[in-house]
Amino acid sequence: TPAKRGGRTLSSHIARGAIRVHEYDEADMVRRYPVLRDLKRNPRLQESEEFQRGTHSLAWGLHAEALNAWYQSLERKPSFVWCFEDDVGFSGSLETLVDIVKRDCGDADLVTADIKLRPSEAWWWLDVHSTAFAERYGDDVYISREHVQRFSMRFLDRLHVLSLQRVTCWSEALVPTIAHAEGFVVAELPRLGTPFAHDGRVSQQEWAHITESHAGRRADRLYHA
């Protein structure tokens, strides 16, 4: 199957050192960022179905700390970091995506979808934040679909410092809120396909149709499946 072939290819790349795998768990995140120990006791977080079942860790909703647990351990940190959720597909070459973003977004510190989106009062994770986050930013909060994002070095370093200062919240809000509030350059993620949402679904047959389409309308676009 395509999944098995992809797994074999990935394994071969890892074996020859072309791909490096960083392993971590929730305990690693908490040791680096002690504020997460308190955040895990947040009532709204504990009321969620995922955490009541015990099937999800903090890394599921606190991507900035999860990402920085790796990034801050590097001896040589890259100038930019791309973050893709594992159920995202791009109907073209990733090199093409990188080139498009470089052309359209330049050296923006954060490239993400929905750069001006505000949360509604009904958003489940609105109150999942530390006291220090609320004191610093109040109600001036943005949210963003984080299925695909690009971060600059200086922005990741700032997120790291703020997490150490106990400033954190659900990462869909943390990342765009800090970027806007602290004067970082934010750019809209281009080339979004449909669906590109947390509940989007693309079957194997649909994906084959997308990638084999000759019309061009669905080529070189990001999908969340």
Side-chain angles (χ1 to χ4, degrees):
T1 66
K4 289 182 179 179
R5 288 196 299 271
R8 287 195 295 269
T9 301
L10 180 61
S11 297
S12 67
H13 286 319
I14 293 172
R16 60 187 177 86
I19 294 176
R20 297 180 182 179
V21 176
H22 176 81
E23 295 187 31
Y24 71 98
D25 59 17
E26 184 179 286
D28 295 325
M29 293 172 59
V30 172
R31 278 192 294 271
R32 183 174 285 271
Y33 304 109
V35 64
L36 300 185
R37 183 177 294 106
D38 296 335
L39 199 68
K40 189 165 186 180
R41 294 194 288 267
N42 178 279
R44 190 61 167 166
L45 185 148
Q46 289 298 327
E47 288 172 8
S48 70
E49 179 181 345
E50 294 82 5
F51 283 91
Q52 284 190 352
R53 289 198 309 259
T55 56
H56 291 59
S57 80
L58 290 174
W60 179 61
L62 295 158
H63 295 185
E65 287 83 4
L67 186 57
N68 259 325
W70 159 74
Y71 189 67
Q72 299 302 326
S73 70
L74 300 176
E75 291 185 8
R76 298 179 61 185
K77 296 189 286 190
S79 299
F80 294 97
V81 172
W82 283 88
C83 187
F84 288 77
E85 293 184 350
D86 60 5
D87 48 359
V88 165
F90 182 68
S91 57
S93 165
L94 286 179
E95 184 178 2
T96 299
L97 175 62
V98 171
D99 288 344
I100 290 171
V101 171
K102 184 177 181 180
R103 180 197 69 201
D104 294 353
C105 306
D107 293 334
D109 296 293
L110 173 65
V111 178
T112 190
D114 316 314
I115 63 174
K116 292 295 185 180
L117 184 63
R118 300 283 193 171
S120 71
E121 292 295 323
W123 188 51
W124 183 273
W125 310 105
L126 186 61
D127 294 323
V128 180
H129 56 69
S130 65
T131 301
F133 177 89
E135 291 173 347
R136 184 180 289 260
Y137 302 113
D139 295 329
D140 191 17
V141 174
Y142 292 83
I143 58 174
S144 172
R145 286 174 290 175
E146 55 186 354
H147 317 314
V148 178
Q149 293 177 317
R150 193 193 73 177
F151 300 81
S152 71
M153 178 190 297
R154 74 184 192 117
F155 186 41
L156 280 174
D157 286 346
R158 182 58 178 158
L159 290 170
H160 168 63
V161 169
L162 288 171
S163 294
L164 291 175
Q165 294 174 349
R166 306 184 68 79
V167 177
T168 193
C169 72
W170 202 252
S171 58
E172 286 173 273
L174 180 75
V175 168
T177 297
I178 292 175
H180 284 296
E182 306 216 352
F184 288 95
V185 179
V186 183
E188 186 75 34
L189 179 67
R191 310 300 296 181
L192 301 186
T194 302
F196 191 77
H198 73 93
D199 55 354
R201 296 292 180 267
V202 178
S203 69
Q204 185 173 338
Q205 183 177 3
E206 289 170 331
W207 184 244
H209 178 71
I210 289 171
T211 56
E212 295 168 6
S213 172
H214 298 292
R217 292 182 298 106
R218 307 190 80 176
D220 296 333
R221 293 192 178 275
L222 286 160
Y223 298 85
H224 186 277

